[in-house]
């Protein structure tokens, strides 16, 4: 089943065309890694998929239902399908870890508070943060903050999780603990789209890799196809900069 479908997406900022006729399908249980140089349109693609940016043209559908951008109810239904993990965590600084996780399921989804509490405690335990429920973001390392933001996204019971460069704000040691969490989600067949510059990680965890440059999808395929046998010269050129692949 298709969880996300994006068809013929165009997006410009002033006179700069950032996305040029992009189409993308993500199936249930699939992990898609999006790679490419800075300015290639990777993050804009994610922002269009999650309505942080409006598309200029094209269609976005979740679970087979096309989003009608003129209707608030249609956008709200689609928003209920996904969770988003930002590179800079975006936690509420004045909320405890527990309240950061519980807030949206209770206030937005109107779910039972005790049920959400149980889920939040289970998520924190799973992500190695069981002892940090009452801590505030400023008391956590960057890696811990990013794990809290993953728990917060998971607490919404999304059909698909988007990660926008989830480790770019972290040092190498903390990067490892966040990638470990994403690996475990991949093993549980969580549907994910991950914009990343961690090439070895993309190769290991993704079912499909998309290489973007200049606002288009230059190449896509299995990690083996893209990393070992890239068809396009632009892909080969980009990957030459990464050792250890």
């Amino acid at each position: 089943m298709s969880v996300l479908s994006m068809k013929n997406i165009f997006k410009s900022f002033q006179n700069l065309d950032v996305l040029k006729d992009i189409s993308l399908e993500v199936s249930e249980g699939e992990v898609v890694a999006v790679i490419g140089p800075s300015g290639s349109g990777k993050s804009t693609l994610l922002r269009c998929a999650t309505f942080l940016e409006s598309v200029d043209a094209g269609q976005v559908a979740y679970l087979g239902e096309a989003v009608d951008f003129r209707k608030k109810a249609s956008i709200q239904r689609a928003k209920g399908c996904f969770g988003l993990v930002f590179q800079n965590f975006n936690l509420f600084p004045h909320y405890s870890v527990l309240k950061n996780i519980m807030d949206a399921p209770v206030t937005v989804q109107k779910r039972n508070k005790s049920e959400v509490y149980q889920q939040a405690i289970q998520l924190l335990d799973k992500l190695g943060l069981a002892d940090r429920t009452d801590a505030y973001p400023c008391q956590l390392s960057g890696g811990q903050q990013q794990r809290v933001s993953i728990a917060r996204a998971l607490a919404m019971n999304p059909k698909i999780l988007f990660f926008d460069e989830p480790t770019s704000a972290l040092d190498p040691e903390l990067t490892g603990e966040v990638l470990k969490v994403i690996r475990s989600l991949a093993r549980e067949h969580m549907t994910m789209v991950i914009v990343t510059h961690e090439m070895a990680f993309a190769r290991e965890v993704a079912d499909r890799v998309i290489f973007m440059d200049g606002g288009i999808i230059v190449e896509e395929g299995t990690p083996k196809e893209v990393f070992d046998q890239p068809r396009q010269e632009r892909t080969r050129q980009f990957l030459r900069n990464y050792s250890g692949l």
Side-chain angles (χ1 to χ4, degrees), residues 127-195:
L127 271 57
L129 294 163
D131 58 341
R132 308 303 279 160
T133 52
D134 299 324
Y136 286 82
C138 65
Q139 298 169 308
L140 304 177
S141 72
Q144 289 172 327
Q145 288 187 63
Q146 193 59 297
R147 281 184 283 154
V148 172
S149 67
I150 294 171
R152 179 179 62 179
L154 288 170
M156 301 291 283
N157 297 328
K159 298 293 185 195
I160 182 171
L161 263 186
F162 293 100
F163 292 86
D164 186 12
E165 299 275 17
T167 59
S168 65
L170 305 175
D171 65 39
E173 194 176 355
L174 299 176
T175 292
E177 64 187 51
V178 172
L179 296 184
K180 186 178 166 190
V181 170
I182 299 173
R183 270 189 208 100
S184 73
L185 292 172
R187 282 196 297 272
E188 293 166 12
H189 305 293
M190 179 79 206
T191 311
M192 294 186 278
V193 176
I194 307 165
V195 169

Side-chain angles (χ1 to χ4, degrees), residues 187-222:
R187 282 196 297 272
E188 293 166 12
H189 305 293
M190 179 79 206
T191 311
M192 294 186 278
V193 176
I194 307 165
V195 169
T196 184
H197 59 276
E198 302 277 346
M199 295 300 132
F201 174 70
R203 178 184 188 138
E204 174 202 341
V205 83
D207 299 303
R208 184 155 49 104
V209 176
I210 289 171
F211 172 62
M212 285 183 68
D213 191 31
I216 63 167
I217 292 175
V218 175
E219 186 152 1
E220 70 176 296
T222 65

Side-chain angles (χ1 to χ4, degrees), residues 106-151:
V106 171
T107 59
V108 178
Q109 294 181 329
K110 310 289 187 220
R111 282 164 54 201
N112 178 283
K113 201 169 180 178
S114 62
E115 171 212 318
V116 174
Y117 173 80
Q118 290 300 330
Q119 184 187 19
I121 293 297
Q122 283 169 1
L123 284 168
L124 287 169
D125 187 43
K126 178 180 175 179
L127 271 57
L129 294 163
D131 58 341
R132 308 303 279 160
T133 52
D134 299 324
Y136 286 82
C138 65
Q139 298 169 308
L140 304 177
S141 72
Q144 289 172 327
Q145 288 187 63
Q146 193 59 297
R147 281 184 283 154
V148 172
S149 67
I150 294 171

Side-chain angles (χ1 to χ4, degrees), residues 33-52:
V34 185
I35 63 171
S38 295
S40 59
K42 308 183 299 291
S43 290
T44 302
L45 179 66
L46 232 62
R47 292 176 69 81
C48 287
T50 56
F51 317 129
L52 293 172

